[in-house]
Amino acid sequence: MTQERLIKVEALTRVEGEGGLFVRLVGNHIEDVQLTIFEPPRLFEALLRGRKLEEVPDITARICGICPVAYQMSSVHALEAALGIEITEDIRRLRRLLYCGEWIESHALHVHLLHAPDFLGYDSGIDMAKDYPNEVNRGLRLKKHGNQLLEVLGGRAIHPINVAVGGFYRAPRRDDLTALIPDFEWGLQAAVETTCWLATLNFPDFTRAYDMVSLVHPDEYPMNEGRVNSTTGTSWDVRDYEREFHEEHVAHSTALQSSRGERQACYHVGPLARVNLNRDRLSPTARRVADDIGFETPCLNPFRAIIARGLELIHAYEEALDILRTYRPPTIARIKYEPHAGQGCAATEAPRGLIYHRYEVDDAGLVTFAKIVPPTSQNQRQIEDDLRDYLPRILTDDESATARQCEKLVRCYDPCISCSTHFLKLTVQRDG
Amino acid sequence: MDDSEQSPHGLIKGQCQHDAPASGRSQNHSLTRRTGETGSRLVVGIGSPHGDDQAGWLVASELQRRLVSPSETLACRLAKSPSDLLDWLEDVTHLIVCDSYDSPTELGELRLWHWPADRLLRTRSSSSHQLGLLNVLDLATNIGRLPSRVEIWAIGGGRFSPETEPSPLVREACQRLAFQLWEGFPRA
């Protein structure tokens, strides 16, 4: 009789999400892989119903402590679409600056403290710091720059409060932003060093025929708007997102899982998808570094997403510097509007990938419907699919070693259920 | 371990043994006035606006209030997250951290540890993006930022509901601790 093995990961622990991993094998054949997410539903969409639309950005910012900007800006853009608000170029640049801050703090942390230890043989960034203090110090300093930018522009580093439908409650003073320039000039060089260092890491030889999806904008690297493109060559207007991309509930997850098209296929969102689809719109220094380190696109090795994050770190610094150096406080910080009934949607790029929001409001300006699709729910099915493919290559009788390899693959996606240290507790049930 | 005995910032009471008996209302704290002592002190109160979790902030705020003019040898700061510490350690030779711990049966009691405090339980961080206090001190040690002298003061708290007021006993304890710390600092 063929022996059945159950590999169960009890708890993937982190504030942003709680989950585990379940693998069922018969012999060495993988019967089932489930990324189990058991965090209680947070019900944000229901919470928003009946609220004034002005409250939405501050509420949606609370969805995530590491990428609040993506949530609040997606909601703002969707609500502005619903109300027919057109913002000025000055406001638009300030919003991109806010995105740069978030990408810097998120990517710097993930690259240096959460993901690099996987490639260097450490259990955590804290352990890695003993042997790589310069790299970890650099990462902390870069993260701090991102937080500082969010503080100046958003009012505070975590859950910014200065973002409003129509613009900003208050435009930052020029001196406050220009004071950041010396640090950001240092940061740009440090981001280059980081990316060159990341390119020297040893990556598992694992590539897949991914369907990678990200926003694409004709003139700029995608952050706050664009069309939804796939590496398969398809492109959609954001208003058609829900026709192509679907969410469904699966029994083993309290997070909805996304899939694409009639085949309900998985797809991959995040920095690797963005770089693959937008390499020519990276900033000049990021493009040059990508060439110098021989980063070939399309890159279909998920482990190399850490390099894509490095390239985006460079891009964010370079774009931020451009905005900081030319900033003049806008004459109008917020476009006025009158509430009226309408519906609108928007997609932006969170550090972890594409994020989609849709809202309906009534004549009183109250939210009557809200839909939020975060990046991690879109990647969830892809992660399971990756693990099915990856497990046969790494499966051994040593379940803890197998679990560690699985963790490394999961962390490539920087999901809100990963953890920098041991987030997998592995138990194996053997029948017979 | 009883989860109820855990600070929101990862400070654990539970099985921990404090290095110095600091609980009670008339304990002898370890700080003594040392005139002529050199170096820069940093007092960091870690907290949030939620009930007794304000304890660290209350201590640091009280010291800030007493510190009427900027000092080169003493700074007091309020942190929302332990990782804020990492940005403030330059040139600091003596770090004093004040934080609350969750233990309703020890409301207002003070505990003191000297770092490295091996008997403080290391706990798994609840988030990849949020390091607990002990993780932050470990990290600061490993990257060479931690000063040679580190004290951790913990104030027992019992209610941590959002936006609630601190317990009267916790307020009292914070005042007492601030006074003791202040009295222990060398004067110019």
Side-chain angles (χ1 to χ4, degrees), chain B residues 58-78:
Chain B
L58 290 172
V59 176
S61 299
E62 175 59 22
L63 289 170
Q64 279 179 335
R65 191 185 66 77
R66 290 167 179 258
L67 197 64
V68 289
S69 60
S71 164
E72 290 183 358
T73 57
L74 175 63
C76 306
R77 307 192 72 148
L78 278 62

Side-chain angles (χ1 to χ4, degrees), chain A residues 137-392:
Chain A
N137 263 312
R138 183 174 64 207
L140 292 169
R141 194 166 166 188
L142 296 180
K143 181 183 185 304
K144 184 180 170 186
H145 292 166
N147 287 344
Q148 287 174 324
L149 184 50
L150 292 182
E151 277 177 18
V152 172
L153 196 45
R156 58 188 187 194
I158 311 292
H159 308 312
I161 50 171
N162 192 27
V163 170
V165 176
F168 291 86
Y169 288 109
R170 185 179 70 84
R173 294 191 311 135
R174 183 161 186 262
D175 288 351
D176 290 339
L177 284 182
T178 53
L180 299 174
I181 289 174
D183 274 348
F184 274 64
E185 286 173 337
W186 180 90
L188 175 58
Q189 295 311 311
V192 170
E193 285 175 28
T194 290
T195 308
C196 292
W197 169 61
L198 296 174
T200 66
L201 300 175
N202 289 318
F203 298 99
D205 183 15
F206 179 65
T207 57
R208 306 199 68 213
Y210 283 112
D211 176 8
M212 293 196 172
V213 173
S214 90
L215 292 179
V216 169
H217 189 281
D219 305 321
E220 61 195 15
Y221 198 74
M223 284 180 179
N224 49 343
E225 64 176 314
R227 288 180 65 82
V228 180
N229 278 22
S230 158
T231 48
T232 59
T234 323
S235 177
W236 303 268
D237 188 286
V238 172
R239 287 169 293 190
D240 295 325
Y241 176 89
E242 290 179 58
R243 293 185 188 178
E244 181 66 20
F245 299 92
H246 311 284
E247 287 182 298
E248 68 170 314
H249 180 246
V250 293
H252 60 273
S253 172
T254 55
L256 298 176
Q257 281 196 359
S258 290
S259 61
R260 196 198 128 188
E262 292 178 0
R263 290 190 302 115
Q264 297 187 316
C266 55
Y267 60 100
H268 177 134
V269 300
L272 199 54
R274 285 194 292 260
V275 172
N276 279 334
L277 285 157
N278 299 277
R279 179 180 180 138
D280 57 342
R281 285 172 294 281
L282 280 166
S283 70
T285 305
R287 280 202 309 272
R288 177 179 57 74
V289 170
D291 292 341
D292 288 349
I293 62 177
F295 188 75
E296 294 181 3
T297 47
C299 173
L300 301 174
N301 182 336
F303 292 96
R304 290 181 181 269
I306 194 171
I307 300 177
R309 281 191 185 86
L311 293 171
E312 289 193 337
L313 198 56
I314 298 170
H315 176 96
Y317 268 104
E318 197 156 32
E319 180 163 350
L321 271 170
D322 180 52
I323 298 170
L324 291 171
R325 286 172 178 144
T326 57
Y327 176 69
R328 297 283 183 282
T331 51
I332 300 171
R334 182 157 57 117
I335 306 297
K336 291 181 180 173
Y337 58 87
E338 290 296 324
H340 60 78
Q343 75 154 333
C345 63
T348 74
E349 287 287 349
R352 284 151 200 81
L354 188 143
I355 178 170
Y356 172 84
H357 286 220
R358 179 163 67 87
Y359 297 93
E360 293 176 14
V361 295
D362 63 17
D363 278 326
L366 301 178
V367 175
T368 57
F369 174 85
K371 180 183 179 72
I372 299 169
V373 184
T376 296
S377 76
Q378 296 180 84
N379 276 333
Q380 198 179 333
R381 186 168 290 190
Q382 183 69 67
I383 293 170
E384 291 179 349
D385 201 60
D386 280 7
L387 287 167
R388 269 185 216 101
D389 197 11
Y390 192 52
L391 267 161

